[in-house]
Amino acid sequence: MGPKTSSGFYLSRTSAALLALLLAALLLALIVLASLYARTRGAELALPATEDPSCHNLTTPPVTFTSPPDATGRPGIWDNPRLPPDLVPLHYDLELWPRTEPDAGGNYPLSGQVNITISCVHGTDIVLLHSSNLNITLAQLAPLATGLNYKSQQTEGKQWHKLNNAARTYLHEEKVPSHLQDTHASSLYHGQSFNITHLWHTEVHQYLVLELERPLLAGNLYLLQLDYQGFLSVDYSGLFIAEYKDFDIDKVLVASELEPTSARTVYPCFDEPALKATFKTRIVHNSSYVALSNMPAIATSEREDKDGTKWTVTTFNTTLKMSTYITAFVVCDFDYVRTTERGNEIRVWARKEVIKNGFANFSLDIVGPIFSYMEDLFNVTYPLQKTDLVAMPDIGVAAMENWGLITFQETSLMYDPKQKFSNSKALTCLIVAHEIGHQWFGNLVTMKWWNDIWLNEGFASYFEYIGASFIDPKLKLNELFMMHNLVNIFERDSRASARAVSVKEEEINNVDLIEPLFDDFSYNKAAALIRMASTFLTEKLFLKGISSYLKKFSFSNADQDGLWNHLQMKSRMKLNYQSH
């Protein structure tokens, strides 16, 4: 068989060489462009414009963000234990989706989405916020409502806003007080998003670092959008899952314990007590469970994941301006008893078996009267519409004062009326009064930094005795305080390890130094100091000073000088009265 006949066209050797060189150049250009595109996608990813359940599916492989090669050794603002003053959070739109079934590795997945409205106070090309043990999968930063100006200045504890016409119209239509103003205003148009050149985590101070291609401008608002994944905790900190029995049936619950620095393990945030903001939360959960948060639920909807499983989405009203550490979340299969006090709803939640046995009734009976008593005592109205108290079996702390969603160990809140000769009734009075006291001292007015945690815990520890003796006059206030407080703290304060109630701010330069401040000196010694001030000024003048302090710093933060200034004014009144 003869050779096949060839067909086509012919090139000289020179033309063929030039063509091969051209093809090689084109191939190299394509490789470079693909590399740049991959890098850009790794650092800047657009969140879905609508609520897409698939973006939370944990089977989606996480996006890997690149950090600069020398990130670990390169000095920068991330070396400071405190956040820089460049950015101020105004509002968080937060979604949490905790799973109550373990994955193949035995972990309980958590996925979330947070959109943070940020005011830029000083121009910066670095966004720094807290995040710990969270894998960021989507990130975008964009101007919010170009032309919307926001100025913040601390003038006697107040912030003032300068807004353009569109923003003023938006806020006016919402018709909410200034401390409730929700300036996230996603309906206002966004400008071009920022290119995030690097996104990485620091271990020492638990920062999420976003390095930008161009700086943010002072006076403008921005929207930081983040999707992330993590796992529920099993050690009763952060957002944790716990097992328990109800009527001898195995159950699980999900709950939060965020004080002092665990909010950053649940959602990326500006996790310092002075950086207060408003929060609008939604929780995705099994339809057989109930979801609770700081504010009342305002809507429920249904979501179907890619496997066809249907979930309930509970959306909560926007909070007051508050710190991150008192945001709270519970997903449970509990029952409750309820009452109202001065128009505010109060519910006590617990295991169904406990509710059926009537063990929650005593707490329900005392919560409302203590709230009203402290309102009258401080002459400052409790600002929330509802308060849930949740009794959880075997949590790590006796109680946590989260605004509108106070959590307790079950033994701290439940009382068995058959225990006639038990001291549990008095202890329940003390613990409940302590947490209610925190609604003013800690939640309404918060210390600026953790070195003054005694402004929270000292006042709550002092007023717990006043609240308990109000409920049960047989509990003599002075005897009760002497027995439970003074005897113990006098002994502790005589040791070489004794310390002042407040420490220098700069000494708290590491996250590990915050937790040890929650000790007898911040609680009992501070309570004794407050009692001494009340005795010196007289209770009447002391309470007037406290009322003035609370009104001055409501929805804001104070240090110990702010407290002493208000008590000093009342002290001068006393001296002037005595001189005449």
Side-chain angles (χ1 to χ4, degrees):
M1 178 182 290
K4 291 185 180 179
T5 305
S6 33
S7 63
F9 62 91
Y10 297 89
L11 291 173
S12 67
R13 290 183 179 180
T14 303
S15 299
L18 288 174
L19 181 60
L21 184 62
L22 179 61
L23 289 173
L26 287 172
L27 181 61
L28 179 62
L30 286 172
I31 292 172
V32 171
L33 287 173
S35 174
L36 289 173
Y37 177 75
R39 179 178 176 182
T40 301
R41 287 289 294 172
E44 180 182 28
L45 293 166
L47 270 152
T50 58
E51 216 176 272
D52 181 5
S54 66
C55 72
H56 296 279
N57 196 297
L58 294 183
T59 60
T60 303
V63 176
T64 301
F65 291 98
T66 59
S67 62
D70 56 347
T72 55
R74 186 163 50 113
I77 58 174
W78 45 81
D79 296 324
N80 196 314
R82 299 289 300 278
L83 289 169
D86 304 332
L87 303 174
V88 176
L90 303 181
H91 178 81
Y92 293 78
D93 245 315
L94 174 64
E95 176 177 295
L96 298 175
W97 192 343
R99 275 42 168 215
T100 54
E101 294 291 335
D103 62 11
N107 297 309
Y108 294 88
L110 166 69
S111 55
Q113 181 183 73
V114 63
N115 298 346
I116 310 175
T117 303
I118 301 169
S119 167
C120 182
V121 180
H122 306 110
T124 178
D125 60 358
I126 295 176
V127 175
L128 208 64
L129 68 161
H130 291 101
S131 177
S132 179
N133 297 319
L134 298 176
N135 180 34
I136 307 300
T137 57
L138 295 170
Q140 185 177 22
L141 180 65
L144 180 58
T146 302
L148 176 70
N149 293 319
Y150 172 87
K151 285 189 177 180
S152 174
Q153 68 177 24
Q154 295 301 323
T155 304
E156 298 185 350
K158 296 181 180 179
Q159 288 186 330
W160 57 278
H161 301 247
K162 186 177 180 181
L163 305 171
N164 69 353
N165 290 333
R168 280 197 295 270
T169 301
Y170 172 81
L171 296 175
H172 175 72
E173 289 175 352
E174 289 294 304
K175 296 180 181 178
V176 292
S178 60
H179 61 272
L180 287 176
Q181 286 181 354
D182 182 354
T183 56
H184 68 290
S186 58
S187 60
L188 303 176
Y189 85 72
H190 301 153
Q192 183 180 2
S193 62
F194 282 70
N195 181 28
I196 304 169
T197 57
H198 294 294
L199 189 152
W200 51 287
H201 289 89
T202 69
E203 295 296 328
V204 175
H205 301 304
Q206 301 176 337
Y207 288 143
L208 176 65
V209 184
L210 289 80
E211 299 185 57
L212 309 179
E213 189 175 57
R214 67 184 194 274
L216 307 180
L217 300 179
N220 286 350
L221 295 184
Y222 297 90
L223 187 67
L224 174 61
Q225 302 177 313
L226 299 169
D227 271 19
Y228 60 94
Q229 297 171 359
F231 296 104
L232 301 181
S233 165
V234 293
D235 62 358
Y236 305 111
S237 65
L239 191 64
F240 64 86
I241 188 165
E243 299 177 348
Y244 67 95
K245 287 185 179 292
D246 199 359
F247 291 112
D248 289 325
I249 300 173
D250 290 330
K251 302 268 189 175
V252 296
L253 66 86
V254 174
S256 61
E257 171 61 44
L258 305 186
E259 190 181 33
T261 58
S262 290
R264 65 193 67 175
T265 69
V266 181
Y267 57 97
C269 57
F270 295 79
D271 198 12
E272 292 188 2
L275 294 175
K276 292 188 172 184
T278 57
F279 297 78
K280 187 166 187 178
T281 302
R282 61 182 179 269
I283 299 176
V284 186
H285 57 96
N286 189 301
S287 59
S288 63
Y289 287 73
V290 63
L292 305 172
S293 191
N294 302 85
M295 299 297 285
I298 56 173
T300 57
S301 58
E302 189 177 84
R303 178 181 297 180
E304 186 173 323
D305 64 21
K306 73 169 194 173
D307 297 324
T309 303
K310 293 182 178 180
W311 301 79
T312 296
V313 182
T314 300
T315 301
F316 301 90
N317 208 351
T318 303
T319 70
L320 307 176
K321 190 178 175 185
M322 56 189 271
S323 302
T324 51
Y325 77 89
I326 53 172
T327 55
F329 323 100
V330 172
V331 178
C332 64
D333 185 23
F334 283 177
D335 204 352
Y336 67 90
V337 289
R338 68 176 298 276
T339 187
T340 57
E341 181 75 16
R342 295 182 175 177
N344 295 326
E345 183 180 36
I346 296 170
R347 298 182 296 187
V348 178
W349 297 78
R351 292 181 297 131
K352 294 177 179 180
E353 181 178 5
V354 172
I355 294 293
K356 182 178 179 181
N357 290 335
F359 295 169
N361 294 343
F362 174 69
S363 294
L364 186 70
D365 290 341
I366 67 174
V367 170
I370 293 176
F371 264 115
S372 294
Y373 176 67
M374 290 193 178
E375 271 191 333
D376 296 339
L377 201 64
F378 307 142
N379 193 26
V380 177
T381 302
Y382 179 62
L384 299 189
Q385 298 173 335
K386 73 92 182 172
T387 302
D388 289 313
L389 295 86
V390 184
M392 297 185 290
D394 301 325
I395 65 169
V397 295
M400 179 59 204
E401 67 267 17
N402 314 301
W403 222 356
L405 181 56
I406 309 173
T407 55
F408 297 81
Q409 282 184 356
E410 186 177 282
T411 53
S412 299
L413 190 61
M414 299 294 101
Y415 170 68
D416 183 356
K418 295 178 182 178
Q419 297 178 346
K420 299 293 184 182
F421 303 101
S422 169
N423 63 355
S424 63
K425 190 173 186 179
L427 289 175
T428 297
C429 285
L430 287 168
I431 294 171
V432 169
H434 181 102
E435 303 310 321
I436 292 177
H438 269 309
Q439 307 307 299
W440 287 267
F441 298 98
N443 297 0
L444 183 65
V445 178
T446 312
M447 75 279 150
K448 287 183 178 179
W449 185 238
W450 297 105
N451 63 307
D452 276 332
I453 185 59
W454 76 273
L455 294 175
N456 288 19
E457 299 301 345
F459 274 101
S461 298
Y462 175 69
F463 283 107
E464 74 180 51
Y465 295 99
I466 293 177
S469 60
F470 165 74
I471 291 297
D472 187 353
K474 291 183 292 185
L475 298 172
K476 303 295 184 182
L477 176 60
N478 285 331
E479 295 176 8
L480 198 64
F481 194 88
M482 181 74 70
M483 179 174 60
H484 286 275
N485 182 296
L486 285 183
V487 172
N488 293 328
I489 198 58
F490 279 164
E491 191 276 328
R492 286 290 309 275
D493 206 36
S494 66
R495 300 179 189 175
S497 58
R499 67 169 181 86
V501 294
S502 181
V503 300
K504 292 181 180 179
E505 182 177 342
E506 58 269 21
E507 292 180 4
I508 312 304
N509 55 15
N510 189 292
V511 67
D512 295 329
L513 299 177
I514 296 173
E515 191 76 42
L517 294 174
F518 290 78
D519 59 10
D520 280 347
F521 303 105
S522 292
Y523 284 74
N524 294 335
K525 184 176 179 177
L529 183 65
I530 292 165
R531 179 174 177 265
M532 185 170 64
S534 174
T535 303
F536 169 74
L537 288 173
T538 71
E539 184 179 11
K540 183 178 180 180
L541 286 178
F542 171 74
L543 289 173
K544 284 185 177 180
I546 293 305
S547 179
S548 174
Y549 164 79
L550 290 172
K551 290 174 181 176
K552 174 74 172 182
F553 297 107
S554 289
F555 306 105
S556 185
N557 299 79
D559 55 23
Q560 64 173 359
D561 290 344
L563 170 67
W564 298 132
N565 288 339
H566 282 265
L567 293 182
Q568 181 71 19
M569 287 189 290
K570 303 307 171 184
S571 176
R572 291 192 187 118
M573 290 174 57
K574 177 184 178 182
L575 292 174
N576 290 337
Y577 175 79
Q578 289 176 341
S579 65
H580 289 83

